[in-house]
Amino acid sequence: MRMLMWLGLAILVYLAIRKSIRTNKPPANSAQSDASQWSDGPFGQAPGAPHHAGTPSGQAEAMLACDHCQIYFPASEAVTRSAKHYCSQEHADAANKN
Ligand SMILES: [Zn+2]
């Protein structure tokens, strides 16, 4: 009787492990396409691509320096006041108060 209980427990553990392995591993097809995407993307570009520091290209989003705190932020998030760019509404207000 005790043996049966252990056997049942062993089967439960075995099924649980099988289930966790199946959920952790994605299907072979999607894993393959993911791998090819990654090798085509950043690994193909990184070595030869010039480091764009300060020179905004068409690919990367332009960065602006906040006129108040000098922090760099994406140009799309800029708050512009009197031809000056700020990282946030607060800094635009703070700079205009001074
Ligand atoms: Zn700022």
Side-chain angles (χ1 to χ4, degrees):
M1 201 61 191
R2 211 181 162 148
M3 186 76 178
L4 261 176
M5 197 190 80
W6 282 112
L7 193 71
L9 199 72
I11 288 168
L12 275 177
V13 170
Y14 171 73
L15 286 176
I17 289 169
R18 258 183 68 141
K19 207 173 178 181
S20 73
I21 286 171
R22 202 182 294 173
T23 49
N24 285 342
K25 260 191 179 175
N29 282 345
S30 78
Q32 227 171 20
S33 65
D34 281 351
S36 67
Q37 262 181 1
W38 279 109
S39 61
D40 285 345
F43 292 113
Q45 266 187 350
H51 198 69
H52 40 256
T55 51
S57 69
Q59 284 183 333
E61 188 167 9
M63 300 294 278
L64 292 169
C66 174
D67 202 64
H68 185 69
C69 67
Q70 272 76 49
I71 204 166
Y72 280 87
F73 56 95
S76 63
E77 293 171 21
V79 177
T80 307
R81 285 276 178 87
S82 54
K84 285 176 179 176
H85 304 290
Y86 302 96
C87 68
S88 62
Q89 193 72 48
E90 287 79 32
H91 282 180
D93 292 340
N96 283 354
K97 268 176 198 167
N98 291 341

